[in-house]
Amino acid sequence: MGTDGAAFEVRELTKDFGPLRAVDGLSFAVAPGEIFGFLGPNGAGKTTTIRMLTGLARPTAGRIFFFGRERTGDIKGAQHLMGIVADDDNLYPEMTGRANLEFCGALYGMERGERRERAGELLERFGLAPAAERRFGAYSKGMRRRLVLAAALIHRPPILFLDEPTTGIDVASARSIRSLLDAMRREGTTIFLTTHYIEEAQRLCDRIAFIAEGRLAALGTTEDLLASAREDNAVDFVLAGPAAPLKEALEEAFPGVTCRAEGGTLFVRSARSLGLEPFMDFFRSRAVEVREARREGPSLEEVFLGVTGSVPRKRKKGDRRP
Ligand SMILES: Nc1ncnc2c1ncn2[C@@H]1O[C@H](COP(=O)(O)OP(=O)(O)OP(=O)(O)O)[C@@H](O)[C@H]1O
């Protein structure tokens, strides 16, 4: 039995390609209705994990559960539970948008009337109704991505797997895909997505897993991840007077501490954790008034960097895959 109530779960999931261990003992469970983000640098094992979860690759070891039932050797038996959004190669360029959707419905064994109705509903919802009778091959990249997403949802799956849903499309199309995902989550669809864009994960995901070299490096809500990485090694003191005259004396008094003065603020950093009291004593002994002492936390990007050793990508306006 899998974990009670999980939409799906992996335990010690492992994949070797010859001598290379691409996925190394991953364990996590995704709750129904959750958007779960899977982030990691290139080659971390994200696609390989999705391929195992969706039955395109066979695990070397480990177990996979869908809604509590083990499906490790029989992912095909769980495929009615999942929609899969990979590349747009799985649709036919010479067929219209509508025909593509109806064809996908037929592959899932939906009856003609039902798939026609569902295709119409999805075209409407994804803003593709005006392009329904146009060839898929003539769609823009952003429209293609939306149709691929619609095709994955034709059979109303409770779980959606997306591998980099917004890579290579422009900012407006990416925003429209994100709002569609958000709406699906509100309706209870469980969404598992890989992304390189940390701000996308932060905006969209209920929880985020960072993976590096096939291993789970960190897992939690954005707040959890930020809190776990918040070390007491940075503190800013806002002083009543100019900060610069105190810089040298402070560094001398606290070996291993570096500080930067800017106007009335001293930004104090250390490799070790810093208690506030010794600094307050330092300021008191010099009759310096401290108006505020602020602890600075890391950004999610810094957490990612810390746990994966790699810098996440930033989306730029008009960003497209090279
Ligand atoms: N079919 C394969 N045969 C051999 N090695 C593979 C195969 N597929 C993936 N790998 C290797 O497994 C590792 C993980 O690859 P994977 O594609 O899962 O990473 P990823 O996190 O999705 O990376 P990216 O962000 O670049 O898409 C990489 O070192 C990759 O070269």
Side-chain angles (χ1 to χ4, degrees), residues 12 30 46 78 99 105 110 145 158 260 263-264 268 299 313 319:
E12 295 295 324
V30 176
K46 303 181 294 295
M110 293 167 75
R145 201 57 68 90
R260 181 168 62 81
V268 177
S299 67
R313 260 193 241 163
D319 188 12

Coordinates of all heavy atoms in Angstrom, one line a residue, residues 12 30 46 78 99 105 110 145 158 260 263-264 268 299 313 319:
E12 N 12.1 5.1 -3.2 CA 13.5 4.7 -3.5 C 13.6 4.5 -5.0 O 14.3 3.6 -5.5 CB 13.8 3.4 -2.8 CG 13.9 3.5 -1.3 CD 15.1 4.4 -0.9 OE1 16.1 4.4 -1.5 OE2 14.9 5.2 0.1
V30 N 2.9 12.9 -3.6 CA 2.2 14.1 -4.0 C 0.7 14.0 -3.7 O 0.1 13.0 -4.0 CB 2.4 14.3 -5.5 CG1 1.6 15.5 -6.0 CG2 3.9 14.5 -5.9
K46 N 15.3 14.9 -13.9 CA 13.9 15.3 -13.9 C 13.1 14.5 -15.0 O 12.1 13.9 -14.7 CB 13.7 16.8 -14.2 CG 14.5 17.7 -13.1 CD 14.3 19.2 -13.4 CE 14.9 19.7 -14.7 NZ 16.3 19.6 -14.7
A78 N -2.3 2.4 -15.1 CA -2.6 3.7 -14.5 C -2.7 4.8 -15.4 O -3.0 5.9 -15.0 CB -1.6 4.0 -13.4
A99 N -9.5 18.2 -34.7 CA -9.4 16.8 -35.1 C -8.3 16.1 -34.3 O -8.5 14.9 -33.9 CB -9.0 16.7 -36.6
G105 N -8.9 11.7 -28.0 CA -10.1 11.1 -27.2 C -10.4 9.7 -27.6 O -10.6 8.8 -26.8
M110 N -12.8 7.1 -25.8 CA -14.0 7.9 -25.6 C -15.0 7.7 -26.8 O -14.5 7.6 -27.9 CB -13.6 9.3 -25.4 CG -12.8 9.6 -24.1 SD -12.1 11.2 -24.1 CE -13.5 12.3 -23.8
R145 N 1.4 24.7 -27.6 CA 1.6 24.3 -26.3 C 0.2 24.1 -25.6 O 0.0 23.2 -24.9 CB 2.5 25.3 -25.5 CG 3.2 24.7 -24.3 CD 4.0 23.5 -24.5 NE 5.2 23.8 -25.3 CZ 6.4 24.2 -24.8 NH1 6.5 24.3 -23.5 NH2 7.4 24.4 -25.6
P158 N -7.1 12.7 -13.4 CA -7.0 13.4 -12.1 C -5.5 14.0 -11.9 O -5.3 14.8 -11.1 CB -7.3 12.4 -11.1 CG -7.1 11.1 -11.8 CD -7.4 11.3 -13.2
R260 N 29.8 45.8 5.4 CA 29.7 46.8 4.4 C 28.9 48.0 4.9 O 27.8 47.7 5.6 CB 29.0 46.2 3.1 CG 28.9 47.2 1.9 CD 28.5 46.3 0.7 NE 27.2 45.7 0.9 CZ 26.0 46.2 0.7 NH1 26.0 47.5 0.4 NH2 24.9 45.6 0.9
G263 N 25.4 54.4 3.9 CA 24.6 55.4 4.7 C 24.6 55.1 6.1 O 25.7 54.9 6.7
G264 N 23.4 54.9 6.7 CA 23.4 54.6 8.1 C 23.3 53.1 8.4 O 23.0 52.7 9.6
V268 N 26.2 43.2 8.0 CA 27.2 42.3 8.7 C 27.0 40.9 8.2 O 25.9 40.3 8.2 CB 27.1 42.4 10.2 CG1 28.1 41.4 10.9 CG2 27.3 43.8 10.7
S299 N 17.1 34.2 -0.7 CA 16.0 34.1 -1.6 C 15.9 32.6 -2.0 O 16.8 31.8 -1.7 CB 16.3 34.9 -2.9 OG 17.5 34.3 -3.5
R313 N 17.8 29.0 -14.1 CA 17.6 29.9 -15.2 C 16.7 31.0 -14.9 O 15.7 30.9 -14.1 CB 17.0 29.2 -16.4 CG 18.0 28.7 -17.4 CD 17.3 28.3 -18.6 NE 17.6 26.9 -18.9 CZ 16.8 26.2 -19.7 NH1 15.7 26.6 -20.2 NH2 17.2 24.9 -19.9
D319 N 11.8 35.2 -24.2 CA 12.7 34.0 -24.0 C 12.2 32.9 -24.9 O 11.1 32.5 -24.8 CB 12.7 33.6 -22.6 CG 13.8 32.6 -22.3 OD1 14.6 32.3 -23.1 OD2 13.7 32.0 -21.1

